[in-house]
Each structure stands twice: as C-alpha cells, then as structure tokens.
C-alpha cells in the first residue's frame, strides 16, 4: 500500500459513520485508484463512549470526546467536520485551518453564512476546504462547477435541492392530499425532521444555491440577499390548477447571471410537465447548469442520506489526498476562482425580477367579479396569458379564479395583488406563484 494520509473525523452521526464505512470498506479499491493508504486515525464525538458495540469504530486508533485532540495532532492531514451547526463547527474548522490542515465539511448552512471568513482563512493558509457534500448529497456538482465547467461562463443554475420539500410536493400531486397531511406522513417515514422549518420554508435550498452561485458566478453571494419563500402555502387546489395548465409545482432554487448583476432566489415555481426538472420526484434532487459554451447540463441523484452524503465526503478526502501526494495542494482555488474573496455583483431585488405569474383569487361568484380583478391587472400593465374559472363553488358562494400572466416585473404584481385583495368581491388573500419555462 502507498503513502499514508491520516484523517480525523469530528462527529459520528449518520454521515460520520457512513464516511468511516465508505473509507474502510473501499480501502482496497481506493488504494488501487490512488496509490494511497487513506487512514482514519481518529474520530471525535461527545458521545463516543456510547458506541462500545460499534465494531467498525473500534478499528479506529484514537476515539475521543475532544475534537481539539484531532485538530492539534501533527499526524492528521485532513480534518472532517460533520457536527453541523454554526459556532462550534466554525471554531473547529478555523482552528484546523490555522494549524495548516485541510478540511472537508458537509455544512452548507455554515458555508452559506460564514463562508467568506472560512474561505479567506483557507486561502491565506494555503489549504483546501472540500465541500462537495454540502450541496446535492451524492450528486457531483461543486467540483463540476469548479473544474469540469471551468472553461464556461456560467449563465444559469437551477435546482431541486431539498428532498423533503420535493417529496411533499410529489405526494400532494400523486395522492391529492393537503400539505399538512403529507408532512405528517413524511415525518413518520423519516423524510422530514420533527421541526421541518428549515426544509419546507426554503432555507436549506437557499444555503445551497448561495454556495453554487458563488462558485458559478465567481463572486461571493451574501446569504441575506437570497430571496426565500417556502411551500407551506401551497394547497391542493393549486396542484390541480397546475395540472390543468400542463404544469407542476416544484420548490426551485434559481440563480441567473445578467450583465451587471445576478439573481439568486428560492420559491415555489410552476414549470411545464415537459421540463426535465418537472420529472424529478420524491426525495431525489436535480441541478441544471447552463454554460455559454457547453449549453445545458443536467445532474441528478440522491440529495441526502448517509450513504450518498458520505460518498461525497469521501470523494473530497480522496481528492485532497491526491493533491497532497502530487505536491499540488492548492491546485484549485477554494471557490474555483482566483479573484480576491469579496462581494462583486449586486443581487437583484425580487421585485425587479421579471417572471410569468400564476395568480389565484377567491372571488364572489357574481357578474363583474372577473372584470374588476382584470381591470386592476390592466391598470398595472399586467397582460393575461390564460384564465381559468373553476366550476366548483366554495362555501359562501365564492369561486377560485386563476390568471396566468405574461412576463412582468414582480413589483407590478405585488402592487396589483395588494389592490385586488382590498376589493369587495375578493374573499381571501391572493395566491401568487412564479412561473418558469412557459415564455422565453
């Protein structure tokens, strides 16, 4: 076996254990591919003493409750942070970097919020941060953007990058159930957390698209600039109308480059059923990347789970180990570009972004209701692409009306909807869903 590269893993949860299993079980094939002996020398976890029956863990020479024991070990080449969260994880990563160690992490929330500080520290110390597992689970996308598509000017990145939200929307469509009922089922099956806010409100997707946009557009995207809207307001009636319109509703993360600015947003989006992204169902993820030379590329796979995420973590470890042995430890810049790590492009306000819109109103079923609503839309220069009136009446003799608009600015829709909601013929808050792919 070849030169030994020592690894220390901080955090022995699902991904930590999966990473150890991957490296141990594939040790021979890894040695054949790399010529290296990638050795997990130490594992740190606050509950390490509870795993006395874990035979795999017992093969690791150092088992400790103190992460700093790994970080301060001069024989450790690569530190793997898998505890999640913010402050403690950040402290461990910065300490490892300060000690000249390479780091691998799956912590997308930390990188989205504190990435600038972490990446700058890594650049100054000449070490690598591997974070393939932070986006898309087992889907190779971070290194695809940094290396495989490096010859391209990236124009757009669009993704379904949260399996929980996609599972819920898929089940709503397939089984005709409301959001709350499907969420309970997803929690019972382990596809949703006890507190699902991070997933269903879009924050997880926002963290991931902030990271991808930073790499793709060679800039830093401040997380607070990402527009975020979740799926909790989506109702079965919207799923049904989408079907009538030849569309599906997906929680999309979207990043687009313009001449002088970029847009980075996460929200429920209506897309044609013919769109490849509309075919992504259940807990699977997909990311499309458009480059100015390669055109459209599509990347699909499991976006979460111990094995998929561990595969990405182990892949980063192997990649860094190869670079160490070749003497090219800084072969690729930490974010794939060599400019100073500062903020470059302004992020366009969501109100300034042009989209088509799906608008659902609950109106009194009486003559003139539709024309009153249409006149307000016309007042703000909003052109109607398609209109549908449901034949089913709601309680109180109200009926849902749906308008699909042509491309228009979000601010116009916002002002029109505020005025429409105050009309006497409108009985509930208007539902607004952005539409992609119906018009160029």
């Amino acid at each position: 076996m070849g030169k030994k590269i020592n690894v220390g893993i901080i955090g022995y949860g699902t991904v930590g254990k999966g990473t150890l299993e991957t490296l141990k079980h594939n040790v021979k094939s890894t040695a054949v591919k790399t010529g290296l002996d990638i050795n997990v020398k130490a594992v740190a976890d606050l509950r390490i003493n509870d795993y006395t029956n874990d035979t795999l863990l017992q093969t690791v020479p150092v088992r400790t409750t103190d992460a700093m024991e790994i970080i301060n070990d001069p024989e450790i080449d690569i530190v793997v942070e898998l505890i999640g969260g913010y402050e403690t994880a950040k402290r461990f990563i910065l300490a490892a970097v300060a000690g000249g160690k390479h780091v691998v992490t799956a912590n997308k929330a930390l990188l989205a919020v504190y990435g600038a500080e972490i990446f700058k520290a890594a650049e100054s110390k000449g070490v690598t941060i591997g974070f393939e597992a932070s986006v898309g689970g087992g889907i190779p996308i971070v290194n695809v953007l940094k290396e495989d598509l490096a010859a391209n000017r990236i124009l757009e990145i669009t993704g379904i990058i949260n399996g929980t939200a996609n599972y819920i929307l898929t089940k709503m469509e397939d089984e005709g159930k409301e959001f709350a009922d499907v969420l309970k089922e997803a929690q019972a099956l382990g596809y949703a957390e006890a507190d699902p806010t991070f997933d269903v409100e879009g924050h997880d997707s926002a963290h991931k698209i902030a990271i991808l946009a930073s790499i793709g557009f060679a800039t830093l995207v401040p997380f607070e600039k990402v527009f975020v809207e979740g799926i909790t307001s989506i109702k079965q009636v919207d799923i049904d109308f989408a079907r009538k319109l030849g569309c599906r509703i997906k929680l999309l993360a979207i990043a687009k480059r313009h001449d002088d600015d970029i847009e980075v947003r996460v929200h429920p989006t209506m897309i044609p059923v013919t769109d490849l992204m509309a075919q992504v169902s259940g807990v699977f993820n997909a990311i499309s990347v458009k480059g100015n030379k390669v055109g459209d590329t599509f990347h699909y796979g499991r976006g979460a789970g111990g094995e998929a995420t561990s595969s990405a973590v182990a892949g980063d470890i192997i990649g860094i180990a190869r670079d160490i042995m070749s003497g090219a430890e800084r072969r690729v810049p930490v974010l794939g570009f060599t400019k100073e790590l500062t903020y470059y492009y302004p992020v366009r306000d969501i109100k300034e972004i042009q989209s088509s819109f799906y608008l659902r109103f609950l109106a009194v079923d009486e003559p003139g209701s539709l024309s009153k609503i249409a006149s307000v839309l016309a007042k703000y220069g909003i052109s109607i692409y398609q209109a549908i009136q449901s034949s089913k009446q709601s309680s109180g003799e109200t009926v849902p009306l749906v308008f699909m608009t042509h491309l228009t600015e979000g601010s116009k829709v916002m002002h029109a909807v505020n005025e429409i909601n105050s009309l006497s013929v409108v009985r509930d808050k208007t539902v607004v869903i952005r539409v992609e792919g119906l018009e160029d």
Side-chain angles (χ1 to χ4, degrees):
M1 199 168 285
K3 166 79 174 176
K4 181 180 288 188
I5 299 292
N6 286 315
V7 176
I9 298 174
I10 302 174
Y12 196 65
T14 301
V15 178
K17 183 173 183 178
T19 300
L20 179 60
E21 288 177 343
T22 299
L23 293 174
K24 289 284 187 179
H25 291 170
N26 296 338
V27 63
K28 290 183 179 179
S29 63
T30 300
V32 169
K33 293 173 183 176
T34 66
L36 302 173
D37 175 13
I38 298 178
N39 173 58
V40 180
K41 181 186 178 185
V43 173
D45 191 284
L46 291 176
R47 299 178 55 208
I48 201 74
N49 295 321
D50 295 341
Y51 301 117
T52 53
N53 295 325
D54 188 323
T55 55
L56 185 67
L57 181 61
Q58 304 312 307
T59 65
V60 178
V62 178
R63 302 178 296 278
T64 178
T65 58
D66 183 7
M68 293 306 297
E69 187 175 341
I70 288 177
I71 292 169
N72 293 328
D73 185 340
E75 293 186 352
I76 296 289
D77 302 292
I78 303 170
V79 173
V80 183
E81 179 277 306
L82 297 172
I83 62 173
Y86 292 101
E87 294 302 328
T88 302
K90 176 185 168 186
R91 177 164 54 86
F92 288 159
I93 289 175
L94 289 177
V97 167
K101 299 188 187 303
H102 304 283
V103 173
V104 174
T105 180
N107 198 333
K108 66 267 184 178
L110 178 66
L111 295 181
V113 177
Y114 296 108
E117 181 180 355
I118 291 169
F119 295 141
K120 287 177 183 176
E123 291 280 6
S124 67
K125 291 296 292 187
V127 298
T128 298
I129 305 288
F131 53 98
E132 183 66 68
S134 67
V135 182
I139 304 173
I141 189 62
V142 169
N143 288 321
V144 165
L145 285 170
K146 287 168 63 173
E147 298 195 60
D148 300 323
L149 296 178
N152 284 260
R153 186 173 189 265
I154 302 302
L155 304 175
E156 295 182 16
I157 303 169
T158 302
I160 294 172
I161 46 182
N162 183 270
T164 298
N166 200 51
Y167 174 85
I168 291 171
L169 291 173
T170 300
K171 295 290 279 187
M172 287 178 70
E173 181 175 13
D174 290 348
E175 300 181 3
K177 297 178 180 178
E178 293 292 351
F179 172 85
D181 296 325
V182 177
L183 175 59
K184 289 179 183 177
E185 292 179 11
Q187 289 171 320
L189 292 170
Y191 292 141
E193 301 287 345
D195 180 1
T197 304
F198 218 56
D199 296 313
V200 300
E201 293 292 359
H203 303 302
D204 176 72
S205 296
H207 287 139
K208 294 170 181 176
I209 196 63
I211 293 169
L212 294 181
S214 293
I215 301 169
F217 301 150
T219 186
L220 284 181
V221 176
F223 177 68
E224 63 274 13
K225 297 287 187 179
V226 181
F227 174 81
V228 187
E229 180 184 329
I231 63 170
T232 55
S233 64
I234 302 298
K235 299 188 183 302
Q236 188 56 226
V237 64
D238 301 308
I239 301 287
D240 291 340
F241 273 120
R243 186 180 293 112
K244 292 176 183 177
L245 291 162
C247 294
R248 291 194 175 108
I249 299 173
K250 295 292 186 181
L251 181 67
L252 290 191
I254 300 169
K256 296 182 180 182
R257 183 203 294 263
H258 302 286
D259 291 337
D260 300 314
D261 62 7
I262 59 176
E263 56 186 79
V264 190
R265 48 193 166 102
V266 172
H267 49 71
T269 311
M270 203 170 281
I271 55 177
V273 293
T274 54
D275 191 311
L276 195 56
M277 198 67 71
Q279 312 306 313
V280 179
S281 62
V283 297
F284 281 84
N285 282 196
I287 302 160
S288 68
V289 180
K290 183 176 183 178
N292 69 327
K293 295 300 181 184
V294 73
D296 294 311
T297 67
F298 195 82
H299 313 265
Y300 170 86
R302 292 192 176 275
E307 290 187 345
T309 307
S310 300
S311 171
V313 171
D316 272 340
I317 293 169
I318 291 168
I320 292 171
R322 281 172 163 164
D323 288 345
I324 291 172
M325 293 312 301
S326 68
E329 298 180 35
R330 287 296 313 286
R331 185 178 61 84
V332 181
V334 66
L335 276 176
F337 59 88
T338 58
K339 294 187 295 185
E340 185 181 350
L341 290 173
T342 55
Y343 176 56
Y344 292 97
Y345 298 109
V347 179
R348 188 175 294 187
D349 190 283
I350 191 66
K351 295 190 295 294
E352 299 173 359
I353 295 173
Q354 282 202 338
S355 299
S356 296
F357 287 85
Y358 161 96
L359 306 174
R360 177 171 60 80
F361 312 95
L362 188 63
V364 177
D365 188 20
E366 64 182 27
S369 291
L370 189 150
S371 62
K372 289 178 181 177
I373 293 171
S375 66
V376 175
L377 295 175
K379 172 184 173 181
Y380 288 95
I382 299 170
S383 177
I384 305 303
Y385 171 74
Q386 192 171 359
I388 304 176
Q389 180 171 336
S390 174
S391 59
K392 297 180 181 179
Q393 288 184 326
S394 304
S395 59
E397 299 300 308
T398 57
V399 63
L401 306 175
V402 166
F403 288 163
M404 191 80 85
T405 78
H406 285 285
L407 288 175
T408 188
E409 283 188 6
S411 59
K412 293 181 179 179
V413 172
M414 180 186 69
H415 292 311
V417 165
N418 286 340
E419 187 168 328
I420 289 169
N421 285 342
S422 67
L423 293 175
S424 61
V425 297
V426 174
R427 289 290 185 263
D428 201 357
K429 184 179 179 181
T430 300
V431 173
V432 180
I433 301 175
R434 289 166 180 82
V435 182
E436 293 278 328
L438 286 185
E439 294 185 291
D440 294 327

